[in-house]
Amino acid sequence: MDRKYTIKDIAEMAGVSKGTVDRVLHKRGKVSDEALNKINEVLNVINYEPNLIARNLKNNKVYRICILLPDPEIDPYWKPCIKGIEDAVQEFRAYNFSIKTFFFNPESKKSFLKKNGAVLEMSPDAVLLPPLFHKEALEVVKKYEEQNVIVNIFNNQIQSDSIKSFVGQDLFHSGRVAAKLLDLLLKKGQIAVIHIDESIKNAIHMQEKERGFRNYFSERKNQDYTITTLKLKNPNVEINLTNFLNENPDLSGIFISTSKAYQIAKAISEIKDKKIAIIGYDLIENNVSYLNQGVIDFLIHQNQKKQTYLGVTSIIEFFLFDKQIPNTILLPIDIVNSENASFYIE
Amino acid sequence: MDRKYTIKDIAEMAGVSKGTVDRVLHKRGKVSDEALNKINEVLNVINYEPNLIARNLKNNKVYRICILLPDPEIDPYWKPCIKGIEDAVQEFRAYNFSIKTFFFNPESKKSFLKKNGAVLEMSPDAVLLPPLFHKEALEVVKKYEEQNVIVNIFNNQIQSDSIKSFVGQDLFHSGRVAAKLLDLLLKKGQIAVIHIDESIKNAIHMQEKERGFRNYFSERKNQDYTITTLKLKNPNVEINLTNFLNENPDLSGIFISTSKAYQIAKAISEIKDKKIAIIGYDLIENNVSYLNQGVIDFLIHQNQKKQTYLGVTSIIEFFLFDKQIPNTILLPIDIVNSENASFYIE
DNA sequence: ACTAATAATGTGTTCGAAAACATAAGAAAT
DNA sequence: ATTTCTTATGTTTTCGAACACATTATTAGT
């Protein structure tokens, strides 16, 4: 079973021409029952797999993929996504793909709608976007559907039959992971869940993470913990945090639901003789620095790069190889400490 | 820059025939300076990238890759590797590759040499193997070199110029990760490093991991810990462990360097009112079960599946797309607790 | 000056799938 | 019986790179 069968092989085996075989394979009719049977008999015996290289050489259509991405200049959280896209482009540069990224302002629904309008104008074959704004996202998804544009989403989930695939993390479980880590570190005491909300994208993330976090403890029915939620907004983070710490001298652990753990770490590290366990998100430079100093205990890696990489490559492989796109791709929730951080950063 | 330039395009632009362009591109000489200059001028302006689909269609050689794998029936540690190979085969089934796996007995150097002999007979284009036996591995690598067979290794590193690439984890750092986790959990006390050695493959792993583990603590110059090394061998693991525990009543943490943490966990879980932190390796069923019960605190995921997957795909992509194979591919050291384990298991 | 040798360049075929195009055979219509 | 239409089937071209093969131009040798 070394060499692969070709259409020509099948034609010879069935005693017909390759044109007829082609018609049978593509169910285009105009084939006599006799020829159909002969060919089917051959197909039942051998395992024909079309040579996708040859197919792609012939159908040398340029597939157009558009990606909507929040501007990393506005929110650096999205920066690794660009690398993910670049990696995908690089990997498939041999094939005919035209991949274009559109930046929108993650704090403006209007910007989101506007850039989607621009994408629609291009009538691409597929679109990848993070549906930050629920209502607006459903709106644009509907429009893409009407134009037969495949839509893949990443970062956060929204429900719509028109969406082909979602790539991201299970945020609820991500909260549970954080809870488990704090539980191990502390065993008891007062814990604060802190949301530092500088961008709307986090609204959904924050909720789900806190839900998972609290769910873990409520499941244990552990009475040794008290959990307090605190919402902070820049530029008053430091003042409000200091007040909170003064009011709660027994605080022993903090879970920060966004990538701004370093802001908390900075304040905490200035307090002498006080060890408060800190768990945050994302391997941005400031966070990793406090992780290495031992101020932050764990970071949870959200793998933004891989999200876009898989979002794009799954579309490409669908077009190239008819590979089915999974409905949901859940990335692992990576636990990072000072010792393994470097392996996740590139 | 939507459409790609072809050899025909270049020929037309330079006013020569595609045969001449081909000779220039492949540096096969027999080209006049005049023609060479004209073509180079064009090549300097445009960015020519050969269509790899067309190239592969023409050169439809069947590449032969052989993989040597310790028999998973003898040591289940290697079982996930099969899935990794299968995934790679599946992903590139459209291309002409013949991939064959040879099982050898991981406890027998003779078996290793014999199977390598069988592989050599096949004169494949590339080989992927875990160099479990240092001397023997160097021997076979030399033979492959003589026959111009590309050799990639995984699992553990050995030094040889004839080896194209290594995929695996940094075992030293993996030990440090474990140390950091125990440090966080305990802060002080007596720690045991336990090696349960049922297979020679672990010898190298065990050493490096312990070295990393101890290195972490020695770097901290932390006097609050005492670290003891314990070597256990089946079937006497349980008895010797019990003795050790009786002799060391203050033991507070255990680091198991192999995938047999569940054996320790079983014994510990039977002791009431005693919490000993346990860190082990590998997401095998027994381990995950004790992880979920809270007996094992963390498992470190060695990602065997991904090792073979990347080992194979990097070879394939080298043949198909001239993609350079990285000298070293270090996989992240994944920290696993009860809450994120499911995302690493398939 | 004419042939032989060599260098330079152009042309044609191949890979496998796809689809346009061409032809053959048979049935219906005049 | 001849033409027309339909249906089934076979043949050819296309995609781009690679390379074998064919052709032309140039120089060397007698």
Side-chain angles (χ1 to χ4, degrees):
Chain A
M1 202 221 135
D2 227 53
R3 207 176 134 278
K4 290 221 172 135
Y5 292 101
T6 69
I7 285 189
K8 203 178 147 199
D9 294 330
I10 299 173
E12 277 165 16
M13 288 192 245
V16 296
S17 76
K18 52 205 184 96
T20 307
V21 175
D22 185 67
R23 273 180 285 267
V24 170
L25 287 173
H26 293 84
K27 300 198 175 81
R28 289 196 239 139
K30 308 206 170 182
V31 175
S32 67
D33 288 350
E34 198 194 334
L36 183 70
N37 289 334
K38 281 193 291 186
I39 294 169
N40 273 334
E41 256 172 55
V42 174
L43 288 177
N44 284 334
V45 176
I46 66 159
N47 175 28
Y48 172 68
E49 285 200 334
N51 183 326
L52 298 180
I53 300 178
R55 175 185 289 174
N56 282 314
L57 179 61
K58 182 63 173 67
N59 292 350
N60 70 338
K61 168 173 161 56
V62 176
Y63 292 96
R64 291 138 72 92
I65 300 174
C66 289
I67 301 157
L68 283 134
L69 195 67
D71 192 338
E73 296 287 321
I74 298 171
D75 184 352
Y77 171 83
W78 304 98
K79 213 174 159 192
C81 294
I82 295 176
K83 185 79 172 59
I85 297 167
E86 280 173 358
D87 281 4
V89 168
Q90 176 64 14
E91 181 164 349
F92 291 93
R93 75 189 180 290
Y95 301 89
N96 283 322
F97 281 91
S98 159
I99 295 172
K100 208 165 153 42
T101 306
F102 294 76
F103 292 126
F104 67 92
N105 182 340
E107 322 207 358
S108 154
K109 297 180 181 179
K110 214 171 137 188
S111 164
F112 178 75
L113 288 172
K114 193 180 154 201
K115 295 292 170 158
N116 271 290
V119 169
L120 269 161
E121 291 270 305
M122 288 191 65
S123 56
D125 297 286
V127 168
L128 177 68
L129 57 88
L132 297 192
F133 312 108
H134 189 263
K135 185 172 137 270
E136 286 76 10
L138 287 175
E139 231 170 79
V140 297
V141 164
K142 204 179 143 199
K143 279 187 194 153
Y144 287 124
E145 159 102 287
E146 282 164 11
Q147 292 201 18
N148 282 316
V149 179
I150 291 176
V151 179
N152 277 18
I153 59 172
F154 71 102
N155 185 68
N156 59 286
Q157 180 69 284
I158 60 169
Q159 288 310 321
S160 162
D161 291 339
S162 314
I163 293 171
K164 185 108 180 175
S165 173
F166 161 68
V167 189
Q169 270 181 344
D170 184 323
L171 301 169
F172 179 82
H173 271 91
S174 146
R176 285 187 56 105
V177 170
K180 173 81 189 181
L181 291 171
L182 270 185
D183 190 17
L184 265 173
L185 291 177
L186 304 177
K187 303 293 172 200
K188 64 181 176 194
Q190 193 197 347
I191 298 173
V193 178
I194 299 184
H195 304 304
I196 303 182
D197 179 20
E198 80 294 348
S199 158
I200 301 156
K201 81 129 203 305
N202 294 317
I204 318 145
H205 277 215
M206 289 175 347
Q207 274 173 32
E208 276 299 288
K209 287 170 182 171
E210 177 165 359
R211 211 165 61 81
F213 189 82
R214 288 182 177 269
N215 173 267
Y216 173 88
F217 289 109
S218 69
E219 223 174 48
R220 308 265 149 163
K221 297 195 176 60
N222 193 329
Q223 304 299 327
D224 297 337
Y225 287 107
T226 57
I227 302 172
T228 320
T229 302
L230 184 63
K231 285 187 187 174
L232 299 177
K233 255 195 148 85
N234 277 309
N236 306 318
V237 169
E238 195 147 357
I239 302 165
N240 292 333
L241 177 67
T242 311
N243 291 340
F244 179 81
L245 290 174
N246 289 335
E247 288 162 19
N248 299 274
D250 296 330
L251 191 77
S252 56
I254 299 178
F255 170 48
I256 298 116
S257 66
T258 66
S259 57
K260 304 285 172 183
Y262 63 90
Q263 292 192 2
I264 307 297
K266 184 168 177 287
I268 300 282
S269 66
E270 283 159 6
I271 304 171
K272 289 256 187 311
D273 300 325
K274 185 146 192 176
K275 176 57 195 164
I276 295 181
I278 299 181
I279 295 180
Y281 280 91
D282 298 324
L283 300 176
I284 61 176
E285 218 178 318
N286 284 331
N287 283 344
V288 173
S289 165
Y290 282 109
L291 187 71
N292 288 331
Q293 287 170 46
V295 181
I296 294 178
D297 294 289
F298 288 106
L299 288 170
I300 292 175
H301 183 32
Q302 306 203 67
N303 237 320
Q304 301 95 310
K305 180 187 146 193
K306 203 168 185 185
Q307 288 187 29
T308 49
Y309 174 79
L310 287 176
V312 176
T313 55
S314 63
I315 293 172
I316 294 181
E317 290 180 344
F318 170 75
F319 286 130
L320 281 185
F321 306 128
D322 271 334
K323 201 166 168 177
Q324 230 21 67
I325 305 181
N327 185 265
T328 306
I329 303 175
L330 282 185
L331 296 181
I333 298 158
D334 294 320
I335 299 172
V336 179
N337 69 12
S338 56
E339 296 306 315
N340 69 345
S342 62
F343 298 100
Y344 292 105
I345 304 168
E346 33 244 298
Chain B
M1 203 222 133
D2 227 52
R3 206 176 135 277
K4 289 219 171 137
Y5 292 101
T6 69
I7 286 189
K8 204 177 144 199
D9 294 331
I10 299 172
E12 277 166 16
M13 286 191 247
V16 296
S17 77
K18 57 202 181 93
T20 308
V21 176
D22 184 67
R23 274 180 285 268
V24 171
L25 287 173
H26 292 83
K27 300 197 175 80
R28 290 196 240 139
K30 311 209 169 178
V31 174
S32 67
D33 289 350
E34 197 195 336
L36 183 70
N37 289 334
K38 281 193 291 184
I39 293 169
N40 274 334
E41 256 173 56
V42 174
L43 289 177
N44 284 334
V45 176
I46 66 157
N47 174 30
Y48 172 68
E49 287 201 332
N51 183 327
L52 298 180
I53 300 179
R55 173 183 293 174
N56 281 315
L57 180 61
K58 182 63 175 67
N59 293 351
N60 69 338
K61 169 173 160 55
V62 177
Y63 292 97
R64 292 138 70 93
I65 301 175
C66 290
I67 301 157
L68 283 134
L69 196 67
D71 192 339
E73 296 288 320
I74 298 171
D75 185 350
Y77 171 83
W78 305 97
K79 212 174 158 193
C81 293
I82 295 177
K83 185 78 170 62
I85 297 167
E86 280 173 357
D87 280 5
V89 168
Q90 176 61 16
E91 181 163 350
F92 291 94
R93 74 188 181 291
Y95 300 89
N96 284 321
F97 281 92
S98 157
I99 296 172
K100 207 164 151 44
T101 307
F102 293 75
F103 292 126
F104 66 93
N105 182 339
E107 321 207 358
S108 156
K109 296 179 181 178
K110 214 172 134 190
S111 163
F112 178 75
L113 287 172
K114 194 180 152 201
K115 295 292 169 159
N116 270 290
V119 169
L120 268 161
E121 290 272 303
M122 289 191 64
S123 58
D125 298 286
V127 169
L128 176 68
L129 58 88
L132 296 191
F133 313 109
H134 189 264
K135 185 173 136 272
E136 287 75 11
L138 286 175
E139 231 170 79
V140 298
V141 163
K142 204 180 145 200
K143 281 190 195 150
Y144 287 123
E145 160 101 287
E146 282 165 11
Q147 292 202 17
N148 282 316
V149 180
I150 291 175
V151 180
N152 276 19
I153 59 173
F154 71 102
N155 186 68
N156 59 285
Q157 181 69 284
I158 60 170
Q159 287 310 320
S160 163
D161 290 339
S162 313
I163 292 170
K164 185 105 183 179
S165 173
F166 162 68
V167 189
Q169 270 182 343
D170 185 323
L171 300 170
F172 178 82
H173 270 91
S174 146
R176 284 186 56 105
V177 170
K180 173 80 187 180
L181 290 173
L182 270 184
D183 190 19
L184 265 174
L185 291 176
L186 303 177
K187 302 294 172 202
K188 63 180 176 201
Q190 192 198 347
I191 297 174
V193 179
I194 298 184
H195 304 303
I196 303 182
D197 179 20
E198 79 295 345
S199 158
I200 302 158
K201 81 128 203 305
N202 293 317
I204 317 144
H205 277 214
M206 287 174 350
Q207 277 172 30
E208 277 299 288
K209 286 171 183 171
E210 177 165 0
R211 213 166 60 80
F213 189 80
R214 288 181 177 272
N215 174 268
Y216 173 88
F217 288 109
S218 70
E219 220 173 50
R220 308 266 149 161
K221 297 195 177 59
N222 194 330
Q223 304 297 331
D224 297 337
Y225 288 105
T226 57
I227 302 173
T228 319
T229 300
L230 185 64
K231 284 187 188 174
L232 300 178
K233 254 198 151 86
N234 277 309
N236 307 317
V237 169
E238 196 147 356
I239 302 165
N240 292 333
L241 177 66
T242 311
N243 291 340
F244 179 81
L245 290 174
N246 288 335
E247 289 162 18
N248 299 274
D250 295 332
L251 190 78
S252 56
I254 298 177
F255 169 48
I256 299 115
S257 66
T258 66
S259 57
K260 304 287 172 181
Y262 62 91
Q263 292 191 1
I264 307 298
K266 184 169 175 289
I268 300 281
S269 66
E270 282 158 6
I271 305 170
K272 289 258 186 311
D273 299 326
K274 186 146 190 175
K275 176 57 195 163
I276 295 181
I278 299 181
I279 295 181
Y281 279 91
D282 299 324
L283 300 177
I284 60 175
E285 218 178 318
N286 284 332
N287 283 345
V288 173
S289 165
Y290 283 109
L291 187 72
N292 288 331
Q293 288 170 43
V295 182
I296 295 177
D297 294 292
F298 288 106
L299 289 170
I300 293 175
H301 183 33
Q302 306 204 66
N303 237 321
Q304 300 96 312
K305 181 186 144 193
K306 204 169 183 180
Q307 288 188 29
T308 49
Y309 174 79
L310 288 175
V312 176
T313 55
S314 63
I315 294 172
I316 294 181
E317 290 180 343
F318 170 74
F319 286 131
L320 280 185
F321 307 128
D322 270 333
K323 200 165 168 178
Q324 228 25 65
I325 304 182
N327 187 264
T328 308
I329 303 176
L330 282 184
L331 296 181
I333 298 159
D334 294 319
I335 299 171
V336 179
N337 68 12
S338 56
E339 296 307 316
N340 70 344
S342 62
F343 298 101
Y344 291 104
I345 305 169
E346 31 244 300

